[in-house]
């Protein structure tokens, strides 16, 4: 913690600036859970800024979490207003925010990359934090506004607004996706998709797809308002298709209101 180091306590910042601080972890702020306390470690940023700090991990803020199985503690970062900007990593892993605990992403702006193995959530009544840098998620995203690319690396997305490309190798359960989505693995159980979705190797069970879709794996459900291209390795087992389906793979089921074109037309008897 180059500027502030919090051990099993609470700190609230309502104004001012933390500027140009340096540490190995948490250039601006580091939250750490002491093994002698059962209290959650909490940092609240409700005004002010963290500017130009450096660290190997979490150049702006590092939120830690840990504890033995009988003594679990959680680092909590509540962001209501303010800004984290111009914070740089001094390693090859660039991250303005490094999250292992919980972030209540209620407001403010994070300028710079974020790496999260924890939980990002927006509490009821708030608009959400704006993330203007890239985000790599191996935890859970339940809220926030993401204006740059998001890589879902084995994590879960169950809420939030995504305005740039999302690449997923995890689970998508909900959220609004205004940019393109690339599904490299995992599954989709819900969400609103307004851009092009390219399903390379994911099980799509549900969702509302307002843009076009390209399928190289399996569509088992969902409502598709745009055109769907079902490639050679693609399979459609279910779903509602309201526009043209260009098929070169397999169709085993589904409801089709538009035309089906292509070289391969395989459908189960009605």
């Amino acid at each position: 913690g180059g500027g502030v180091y919090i051990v099993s306590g609470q700190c609230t910042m309502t104004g001012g600036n933390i500027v140009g601080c340096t540490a190995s972890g948490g250039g601006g702020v580091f939250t750490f859970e002491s093994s002698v306390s059962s209290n959650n470690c909490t940092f609240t940023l409700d005004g002010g800024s963290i500017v130009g700090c450096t660290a190997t991990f979490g150049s702006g803020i590092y939120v830690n979490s840990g504890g033995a199985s009988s003594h679990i503690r959680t680092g909590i970062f509540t962001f209501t207003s303010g800004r984290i900007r111009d914070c740089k990593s001094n390693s090859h892993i660039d991250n303005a925010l490094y999250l292992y605990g919980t972030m209540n992403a209620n407001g403010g702006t994070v300028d710079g990359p974020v790496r999260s193995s924890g939980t990002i959530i927006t509490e009821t009544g708030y608009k959400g934090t704006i993330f203007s840098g890239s985000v790599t998620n191996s935890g859970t995203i339940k809220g926030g506004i993401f204006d740059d690319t998001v890589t879902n690396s084995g994590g879960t997305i169950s809420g939030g607004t995504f305005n740039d490309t999302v690449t997923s190798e995890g689970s998508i359960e909900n959220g609004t996706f205004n940019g393109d989505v690339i599904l490299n693995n995992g599954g989709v159980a819900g969400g609103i998709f307004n851009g092009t979705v390219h399903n390379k190797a994911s099980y799509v069970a549900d969702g509302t797809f307002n843009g076009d879709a390209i399928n190289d794996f399996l569509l088992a459900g969902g409502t598709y308002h745009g055109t769907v291209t079902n490639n050679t390795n693609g399979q459609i087992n279910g779903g509602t298709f309201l526009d043209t389906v260009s098929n070169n793979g397999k169709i085993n089921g589904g409801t089709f209101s538009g035309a089906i074109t292509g070289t391969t037309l395989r459908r189960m008897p009605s």
Side-chain angles (χ1 to χ4, degrees):
V4 178
Y5 188 88
I6 309 168
V7 180
S8 297
Q10 298 181 7
C11 176
T12 299
M13 179 175 173
T14 58
N17 304 291
I18 299 173
V19 182
C21 299
T22 301
S24 59
V29 177
F30 188 94
T31 69
F32 176 74
E33 289 298 336
S34 170
S35 61
V36 299
S37 173
S38 61
N39 295 323
N40 291 331
C41 182
T42 302
F43 173 64
T44 299
L45 182 56
D46 189 12
S49 61
I50 299 172
V51 182
C53 298
T54 59
T56 303
F57 301 102
S59 54
I61 299 178
Y62 189 117
V63 183
N64 198 12
S65 184
S69 59
S70 60
H71 191 75
I72 301 298
R73 302 169 307 281
T74 301
I76 300 173
F77 170 38
T78 298
F79 196 5
T80 304
S81 67
R83 198 173 199 103
I84 302 169
R85 62 179 178 86
D86 301 327
C87 295
K88 302 293 183 182
S89 173
N90 53 23
S91 75
H92 68 284
I93 303 176
D94 194 13
N95 45 83
L97 171 63
Y98 206 86
L99 180 67
Y100 274 110
T102 298
M103 178 181 182
N104 295 319
N106 298 331
T109 301
V110 179
D111 294 323
V114 174
R115 288 183 175 268
S116 175
S117 299
T119 299
I120 299 174
I121 186 170
T122 299
E123 296 179 296
T124 302
Y126 292 94
K127 293 182 178 179
T129 297
I130 297 172
F131 297 86
S132 63
S134 62
V135 175
T136 300
N137 175 57
S138 57
T140 301
I141 295 176
K142 297 182 178 181
I145 301 167
F146 301 84
D147 287 340
D148 205 334
T149 59
V150 173
T151 301
N152 188 34
S153 182
T156 299
I157 297 175
S158 58
T161 301
F162 302 84
N163 296 320
D164 206 331
T165 301
V166 174
T167 303
S168 182
E169 296 181 355
S171 175
I172 297 177
E173 298 176 350
N174 209 343
T176 300
F177 300 84
N178 296 319
D180 295 342
V181 176
I182 302 170
L183 303 172
N184 287 330
N185 208 335
V188 176
I192 299 172
F193 301 85
N194 296 318
T196 298
V197 175
H198 190 171
N199 180 26
K200 295 184 177 181
S202 181
Y203 181 91
V204 179
D206 204 355
T208 300
F209 300 85
N210 295 318
D212 296 338
I214 303 168
N215 183 46
D216 290 304
F217 197 66
L218 180 59
L219 303 181
T223 301
Y224 300 82
H225 293 267
T227 62
V228 174
T229 301
N230 192 38
N231 288 329
T232 304
N233 294 323
Q235 185 169 313
I236 297 175
N237 286 352
T240 300
F241 301 85
L242 303 175
D243 205 336
T244 300
V245 174
S246 175
N247 180 50
N248 290 299
K250 295 180 180 179
I251 297 178
N252 298 318
T255 301
F256 301 86
S257 298
I260 299 176
T261 65
T263 59
T264 305
L265 302 176
R266 304 181 189 177
R267 300 182 59 180
M268 296 177 65
S270 57

